[in-house]
Amino acid sequence: MIKTAIISLLLLSCISSVGQVLIHPKPEEGFERRIRRHVDTLRVVDTHEHLANPAGLRGSPRTDFMLLLHQYADDDIKSAGMSKPAFERLLTDSITVQEKWEIVRPYWEKSSNTAYNRAVLITLQHIFGISDLNENTVVPLSQKIKEAYETDWYNFILKEKSRIRYVINDHPDRSWGDPEMFRYTQRFDYLRLDSKEKVEATGKKNGMNIRSLEDLEKCLELEFDAAIRKGFTAIKSAEAYHRSLHYEDVTREEAASALRAVMNNGEQPVSARTAKPLSDYMMHRILGLARKYDKPIQIHTGLQAGDGNFIQNSNPALLANLFLKYRDVRFVLLHGSYPYGGELATLAKNFRN
């Protein structure tokens, strides 16, 4: 019996080995370069940007080497020990480029190997032809950046260098940009109504005086209808910066009670726990409108920008109840949900939406 089992295992081992034999011939030499050349010809859709009007940058104090460090890269520089006030000082024109570099240099040296800052170095090399960021390059780099923003720089970067076909921009200013390539997300700020002031401001923006949950729902519908007429590609939610992504299916009365607590608390915001039923309820109302108008919703998951947050709030697995309830709504989970890549892959495997 044992001998039979051993023979069977040997046969299975042989079959397994045969199954793993490479049956395709090796590609011709140089295949890596051919793949790269093909990739370089592809047009892409840039699904998530925060591009601001370049007119606001021309002549700005930020139009020096600090422009490359002031978003995302600054997170790692601050994690390396630089204070927020010290970094903000570097975005003014009261000190010279060389003085700015001397202040930022020790923190840059501690963090230059991170992904955000490697992206800065790639930009230096491929866009400005400068090999490194140091005391010898910050002045000529700053001059090149300043000169760049006197040209049609955005179109050069987006169209020529990046070969982007469409940009989906998460920014309220639609007064600029090529209308043939720019698309927009729309945020609906109904998920952090924790004070009477915020509720009243939301109503005022939409020409309403909100006194009840019914009024708030009507206000959202009016704002959504106006956004539809104006045109947008996707709803955007970045609530993982501020709360857990678990939205419970609360009752209408629980939401109405939370709104009353908010409105009766004077000028002070209520606690996150008190406001949560209202936030949860309004997320369901937003998803109901997404279903009605067939709009996808982008949700920030994974690593939050900034120099400190509760990463567990951004785990995409917390959204599973929404995926189940709104199977006909398309959910777009941003940033690979890092560091929850395994959870994201499992969700993508199990949910068609």
Side-chain angles (χ1 to χ4, degrees), residues 215-226:
D215 291 341
L216 186 61
E217 290 176 286
K218 181 62 176 176
C219 188
L220 171 60
E221 290 171 8
L222 287 173
E223 189 170 332
F224 209 100
D225 286 343

Side-chain angles (χ1 to χ4, degrees), residues 325-341:
K325 183 169 183 175
Y326 300 95
R327 286 185 174 273
D328 50 353
V329 173
R330 289 165 291 157
F331 292 85
V332 182
L333 307 186
L334 299 179
H335 309 304
S337 301
Y338 180 86
Y340 301 107

Side-chain angles (χ1 to χ4, degrees), residues 189-208:
D189 298 325
Y190 289 77
L191 305 179
R192 267 176 280 149
L193 298 177
D194 59 358
S195 71
K196 182 179 179 181
E197 181 183 11
K198 288 182 181 178
V199 174
E200 290 177 343
T202 298
K204 184 178 180 181
K205 182 172 68 172
N206 294 284
M208 288 189 64

Side-chain angles (χ1 to χ4, degrees), residues 28-158:
E28 295 179 18
E29 188 175 347
F31 68 91
E32 301 98 332
R33 291 190 297 276
R34 291 195 299 277
I35 292 172
R36 178 56 187 262
R37 282 197 299 268
H38 177 70
V39 169
D40 286 344
T41 68
L42 298 178
R43 301 286 298 281
V44 298
V45 175
D46 183 351
T47 62
H48 182 189
E49 283 294 349
H50 299 281
L51 297 173
N53 193 328
L57 288 170
R58 294 189 186 104
S60 163
R62 296 185 180 190
T63 315
D64 56 25
F65 79 96
M66 287 303 301
L67 186 64
L68 301 179
L69 303 183
H70 91 284
Q71 189 174 13
Y72 297 120
D74 68 310
D75 295 342
D76 290 346
I77 289 169
K78 291 168 188 172
S79 294
M82 189 173 215
S83 70
K84 289 183 179 180
F87 190 88
E88 287 301 312
R89 184 183 173 218
L90 301 178
L91 302 178
T92 71
D93 59 353
S94 59
I95 53 179
T96 67
V97 167
Q98 203 69 50
E99 288 171 331
K100 290 180 181 182
W101 169 250
E102 289 306 317
I103 294 170
V104 79
R105 179 185 58 78
Y107 306 103
W108 167 261
E109 290 176 350
K110 290 179 182 178
S111 62
S112 61
N113 63 330
T114 66
Y116 289 154
N117 288 333
R118 291 296 297 173
V120 171
L121 291 174
I122 290 170
T123 301
L124 260 64
Q125 294 159 9
H126 290 270
I127 304 298
F128 296 105
I130 291 176
S131 61
D132 196 13
L133 189 64
N134 55 47
E135 64 275 10
N136 297 317
T137 62
V138 286
V139 172
L141 171 63
S142 297
Q143 184 60 33
K144 287 189 174 190
I145 292 173
K146 183 178 180 181
E147 291 170 356
Y149 277 89
E150 297 302 322
T151 68
D152 190 11
W153 188 241
Y154 270 32
N155 275 332
F156 170 70
I157 294 297
L158 296 176

